[in-house]
Amino acid sequence: MTHKTGTLRIGSGAGWWGDRIDPARWNAERGALDFLCFETMAEATVSAAQVRKRRDPAFPGYDTWLDDRMRAVLPHCMANGTRIVSNQGWIHPLAAARRVAELCAEAGWKHARVAAVSATDLSGSIGTSGLAIMESGAPVASVADTLISAEPYAGAEAIVRALDQGADIVITGRVADPSLFLAPMMHHFGWRADDWARLGQGSGIGHLLECGAQVTGGYFGDPGYKDVPDPWNLAFPYADVEADGTAEIGKVDGTGGCIDLRTVKEQMFYEVHDPARYITPDVVVDFTTARLEQAGPDRVRVGGISGRPRTDTLKVSMGCTEGYIGEDMFFFAGPGCLDKARLAETILRERLRLAGLQADDLRIDFIGANAVHGAASAAPACEPVEIAVRIAARCATRAQAEKIGREVDGMAVCGLACTGKRVPHQDRVREVIGLWSTLVPRASVDCTIEFV
């Protein structure tokens, strides 16, 4: 790439799978963006996708909100010359790219160049790799019999190659969140893959954008302490990035929320274990050198974030089958509700014992009294006005997990006075895909690019 100057504007289109769609449309329509980036894939999303694929072979494997998101932004991106980078491909980036191409044609963008970026599938080889599980130190081989997926965290380089080849839209699978935003900077400014200073700054900016509204006041407001204007109308942020990586974080006019030193600092350290050593596939970021300045209303200038050479390994998320969870709820209200809940717990534990429940874990929580803090919960100062009793068990088989719902059903007429019970239309048993991590040599992961 020829080195370019001038400001590059990159906007956020999503911070997670279930994020709101209107703020993405506002950015596409009114944000004057060069790039719009969607981050919808987390570890839990990989697990949910694998569970659904096992349950429904017709599931295409990509973001379930892909159609809605693309239909909301494609007409504006086409009109404004905005390119898109998105990890909505989940476990099947090529299928997602094909669908996006269809949606582009539907929107009148018939000549859009859509590329799918897919990383090496390690599920067939990692079980015999001799590697260790990061969380436990046990060998990966110990979970080989239950392994169903092994998703490496790719970085920005393959996205950059796709953009260099003229892609208007790049759809990926498991790519590290900041890398989605770093790739347009590398492409536009011609940053080298070993320019650690600029990659550190760019990845830091990507980290500020990746969680969407969290930097504009989402997941921030605390009434009376940290008030947020018009929180029902939160925008997603954008960054005006300069050639050295310095950027100003802003949002479109006429939207709610706020961008100030507080929101930026909270997001800067969100999910960061060591601020001096935030490891990404592209660079090791050091936030301790950052310089922040309030540049105007809802504008924060960010510079000085530094970087060090990337690691020789890449993280892999491994999905493993870990049985089933059975879960249900019922309710008590009015005087004596907490005493009723306590007696209901005794009844359920005895009935589940009689039913021969085999559970690796059984929890009964009183929502409104102890569901968050458990045994550390303080005794209530006064009688609650209502209690929801939640019961959940992790079991090896679906048949065992189904016993939870059956016994909760019995509480409707074989329980206590004033038991409030939901009609069980919802599925009360779900399969569990546990997630474990390991590190693989970088050379063992390759990314392919396929244009649709």
Side-chain angles (χ1 to χ4, degrees):
M1 281 293 297
T2 302
H3 185 83
K4 296 181 180 179
T5 58
T7 300
L8 176 71
R9 179 169 287 189
I10 304 173
S12 172
W16 74 292
W17 167 23
D19 219 337
R20 300 187 66 236
I21 293 175
D22 278 347
R25 178 174 55 80
W26 301 336
N27 265 351
E29 182 180 17
R30 295 185 275 148
L33 303 179
D34 297 299
F35 282 89
L36 177 62
C37 300
F38 292 84
E39 198 292 289
T40 74
M41 189 180 190
E43 289 84 354
T45 321
V46 178
S47 175
Q50 295 291 356
V51 167
R52 180 162 177 179
K53 181 181 178 182
R54 288 164 61 83
R55 187 179 69 226
D56 177 12
F59 173 54
Y62 51 75
D63 183 355
T64 54
W65 294 104
L66 183 139
D67 281 31
D68 297 68
R69 288 193 166 101
M70 290 296 115
R71 285 192 171 117
V73 305
L74 283 175
H76 307 297
C77 290
M78 176 180 63
N80 297 324
T82 302
R83 300 164 80 178
I84 295 172
V85 177
S86 174
N87 63 4
Q88 289 174 269
W90 288 9
I91 60 175
H92 201 336
L94 183 56
R98 288 170 175 157
R99 180 57 183 153
V100 169
E102 294 172 353
L103 294 168
C104 285
E106 176 187 296
W109 197 357
K110 296 181 180 179
H111 301 295
R113 302 200 70 203
V114 183
V117 172
S118 304
T120 304
D121 180 3
L122 299 176
S123 56
S125 59
I126 203 164
T128 57
S129 63
L131 298 170
I133 297 173
M134 294 174 66
E135 292 84 357
S136 66
V140 171
S142 65
V143 298
D145 291 343
T146 62
L147 185 74
I148 62 169
S149 67
E151 302 275 350
Y153 280 67
E157 287 186 85
I159 302 173
V160 175
R161 294 201 305 271
L163 294 173
D164 288 350
Q165 294 171 34
D168 298 299
I169 301 172
V170 182
I171 304 295
T172 78
R174 174 71 272 187
V175 168
D177 302 352
S179 302
L180 298 169
F181 299 85
L182 175 64
M185 302 179 211
M186 295 174 67
H187 162 75
H188 181 80
F189 296 118
W191 293 347
R192 300 187 320 273
D194 62 353
D195 188 344
W196 310 123
R198 287 185 172 86
L199 267 57
Q201 173 70 19
S203 294
I205 297 302
H207 175 67
L208 292 176
L209 297 177
E210 70 186 46
C211 288
Q214 283 189 198
V215 84
T216 61
Y219 204 59
F220 173 84
D222 190 354
Y225 297 93
K226 298 183 298 181
D227 293 313
V228 175
D230 300 344
W232 53 86
N233 196 31
L234 292 175
F236 292 154
Y238 59 72
D240 289 327
V241 187
E242 299 171 11
D244 65 353
T246 302
E248 287 192 6
I249 310 297
K251 65 184 183 70
V252 295
D253 294 336
T255 57
C258 59
I259 299 176
D260 59 28
L261 296 178
R262 302 170 306 161
T263 66
V264 172
K265 288 176 184 178
E266 283 204 12
Q267 174 57 27
M268 181 172 287
F269 297 116
Y270 177 73
E271 293 183 335
V272 173
H273 292 99
D274 182 353
R277 188 173 166 78
Y278 178 57
I279 300 174
T280 79
D282 305 294
V283 64
V284 178
V285 183
D286 184 355
F287 288 111
T288 65
T289 57
R291 299 187 305 271
L292 307 180
E293 175 189 354
Q294 191 77 45
D298 294 320
R299 297 279 295 189
V300 171
R301 187 169 180 81
V302 182
I305 301 172
S306 51
R308 294 194 294 275
R310 66 191 186 184
T311 61
D312 294 329
T313 56
L314 292 173
K315 183 180 177 182
V316 177
S317 288
M318 300 175 293
C320 302
T321 56
E322 293 189 355
Y324 299 83
I325 287 180
E327 181 180 9
D328 207 347
M329 292 175 64
F330 54 98
F331 313 88
F332 297 105
C337 64
L338 185 55
D339 286 339
K340 291 188 180 76
R342 288 169 176 153
L343 179 54
E345 176 180 3
T346 300
I347 292 170
L348 280 171
R349 289 188 182 277
E350 284 299 307
R351 288 180 179 172
L352 289 168
R353 182 184 63 80
L354 294 171
L357 176 69
Q358 299 172 22
D360 297 322
D361 191 17
L362 172 65
R363 283 193 55 164
I364 300 179
D365 300 319
F366 302 153
I367 298 176
N370 64 13
V372 175
H373 298 292
S377 301
C382 60
E383 176 74 16
V385 296
E386 59 187 35
I387 289 288
V389 180
R390 172 189 176 269
I391 177 170
R394 182 197 292 268
C395 305
T397 67
R398 176 176 287 274
Q400 286 292 325
E402 287 173 345
K403 292 180 180 180
I404 297 300
R406 291 293 299 124
E407 292 303 333
V408 170
D409 284 347
M411 295 297 292
V413 293
C414 292
L416 304 174
C418 306
T419 299
K421 178 70 181 67
R422 301 182 298 180
V423 177
H425 293 304
Q426 74 283 357
D427 186 1
R428 297 178 290 181
V429 175
R430 65 182 188 273
E431 187 179 17
V432 179
I433 304 297
L435 288 173
W436 301 94
S437 306
T438 192
L439 297 175
V440 300
R442 182 178 292 272
S444 66
V445 177
D446 189 24
C447 289
T448 60
I449 302 168
E450 186 167 348
F451 278 83
V452 177

